[in-house]
Amino acid sequence: MASYDVIILGSGPGGYVCAIRCAQLGLKTAVVEGRETLGGTCLNVGCIPSKALLHATHQLHEAEHNFEKMGLKGKAPTVDWKQMQAYKADTIAQNTKGIEYLFKKNKIDWLKGWGSIPEAGKVKVGDDTHEAKNIVIASGSDAATVPGADVTIDEKTVVTSTGALELPKIPKTMVVIGGGVIGLEMGSVYARLGTEVTVVEFLDAITPGMDAEVQKGFQKILKKQGLNFVMGAAVHTVETLKTKAKVHYKLRKDDSEHMLDADVVLVSTGRKPVTKGLGLDTLGVELTKRGQIATDDHWQTSVKGIYAIGDVIEGPMLAHKAEDEGMAVAEVLAGKHGHVNYGVIPGVIYTHPEVANVGETEESLKEAGRAYKVGKFSFMGNGRAKANFAADGFVKILADKDTDRILGAHIIGPMAGDLIHEICVAMEFGASAEDLALTCHAHPTYSEAVREAALACGDGPIHA
Ligand code: NAI
């Protein structure tokens, strides 16, 4: 039995970042992880591998659609799926080994196995029980099945994002259930590889919760790229046959029944927190109505000395939100002040173009009755975007009508996931749109579109 200041359950972005910060702050730290490699869903079967496939297939798209226009002639590359999978596996390995290196460097113990908490202050891993002054649960989330529907996931024909990342071959047809982040990212990957992809979405708009103008513009762009959409449709049954599946759905507007055939069905209707097997019932750790672990302002659960962060608690299921909570809880455990500004957590969809957002939407501002103004600028007016065949999309900044303070921003466009961060920093400093507009932006960069949108909140943009 070993004794620690902190034991963290789970080595995803929440857990491993928390561990590193705990160690940096002088706490004796261990992480329990049952996977063969560190990094959790994000590094092993989520963010990182999906970005490798998105990158590779985007290069293919560029070769097929834009090379010739730039005078780059010759046959477009053919796809060696095995090699693409090997590239993805190598990307995963480099990242997971990187975490292992950081653990060694920071003298963090990796307790290999699946952990449970027999009582506060104790963590059981296999036959060993370890002592910990504090425990942090960072057990993450799992794919949820289609709510209220008859769907059996076999990770072969009916897959979650995990199965979709390692299909043995590129399917001819794919039905994606749920037009959220996972469905659109993985749908884009396969559409670029030649699969006929149909997204079946329950609501009338994709990417729930996003700015409505972005939702519409984004769907239009994806349609142009070849993705098919069936909107306002509730999938209720997926029949799995020998090598394909039949997806049955009802259109909400008239209750009519429809069916789609698919070689592969991707279920991307959300994720659920992983709490099973941790021993939370016996401990009396309270859960929310949605099955997440309930925490207070300092991420402490209803049991003293047990904390929780990331996908297993409330809030957006995003790696960077978990990382921020991981750092903040480490500060709390070290007797300092941990803080997360939940109002400034960016969201990014890594399609092409990328989609990024932070803060309020027009819809949320209207609902709150807050007077706001909109500054919008199209990438059509951005020289760099035009040169790079990347002029689809826009930057939209929402600012307080009276004070000009930035309240939110929404971007569809090239490198949107990187561009959003200057607006995040501005928001953290309580900046006005004018502050951004008066900041010199290098020419020619995509970031000029952000400045132009900020100018559009005032006297107007230059290039529109
Ligand atoms: P999601 O919550 O983003 O979208 C699920 C969609 O499924 C919704 O639009 C919903 O209306 C639809 N749906 C539900 N039941 C349905 C039915 N019976 N028939 C048709 N449609 C139905 O869920 P998703 O895409 O699975 O992502 C899960 C989590 O993972 C999200 O919280 C997301 O933020 C996170 N994630 C984030 C990424 C990123 O930041 N780039 C990448 C991948 C995942």
Side-chain angles (χ1 to χ4, degrees), residues 168-406:
K169 61 178 189 191
I170 300 164
K172 283 206 173 68
T173 52
M174 174 182 266
V175 167
V176 172
I177 309 177
V181 189
I182 292 179
L184 300 177
E185 287 187 353
M186 290 314 297
S188 287
V189 163
Y190 285 101
R192 291 171 193 165
L193 291 168
T195 305
E196 190 178 333
V197 176
T198 305
V199 178
V200 183
E201 166 56 48
F202 180 80
L203 300 170
D204 296 323
I206 57 170
T207 56
M210 267 198 195
D211 179 272
E213 203 177 352
V214 169
Q215 290 177 325
K216 279 195 204 111
F218 185 32
Q219 193 179 353
K220 219 164 141 188
I221 292 170
L222 291 173
K223 273 187 190 161
K224 230 167 62 184
Q225 293 176 2
L227 271 83
N228 306 304
F229 289 91
V230 181
M231 305 303 291
V235 171
H236 57 78
T237 311
V238 176
E239 265 179 90
T240 314
L241 310 174
K242 223 174 178 182
T243 54
K244 62 173 193 162
K246 287 179 183 292
V247 177
H248 299 268
Y249 63 90
K250 243 183 197 180
L251 281 184
R252 291 197 297 130
K253 61 177 181 203
D254 56 10
D255 258 3
S256 57
E257 275 289 345
H258 302 263
M259 191 273 289
L260 282 166
D261 277 318
D263 294 334
V264 170
V265 177
L266 168 60
V267 176
S268 49
T269 48
R271 297 180 61 84
K272 57 178 189 322
V274 172
T275 52
K276 223 174 126 191
L278 297 173
L280 302 187
D281 277 0
T282 331
L283 285 164
V285 169
E286 279 171 25
L287 301 185
T288 67
K289 275 189 200 135
R290 299 180 60 199
Q292 302 137 318
I293 298 177
T295 53
D296 66 12
D297 289 350
H298 291 97
W299 302 276
Q300 188 161 224
T301 68
S302 55
V303 177
K304 200 168 173 288
I306 301 181
Y307 295 76
I309 56 169
D311 284 9
V312 81
I313 69 169
E314 276 182 301
M317 289 183 164
L318 296 170
H320 42 283
K321 175 257 193 188
E323 289 183 34
D324 279 24
E325 289 172 342
M327 281 195 275
V329 87
E331 302 279 337
V332 169
L333 298 182
K336 295 168 179 266
H337 296 285
H339 176 69
V340 175
N341 181 0
Y342 288 100
V344 186
I345 293 184
V348 180
I349 307 179
Y350 299 87
T351 44
H352 195 85
E354 291 182 348
V355 179
N357 63 71
V358 64
E360 304 289 345
T361 59
E362 284 202 64
E363 293 69 38
S364 67
L365 289 170
K366 274 181 200 146
E367 208 179 299
R370 190 153 181 191
Y372 67 94
K373 55 186 171 177
V374 181
K376 205 177 143 191
F377 186 77
S378 161
F379 278 99
M380 286 303 285
N382 179 273
R384 182 76 178 277
K386 278 218 288 255
N388 295 359
F389 305 109
D392 269 343
F394 56 84
V395 179
K396 174 169 164 180
I397 293 177
L398 307 174
D400 186 280
K401 192 157 190 186
D402 303 317
T403 65
D404 195 37
R405 187 181 176 139
I406 302 170

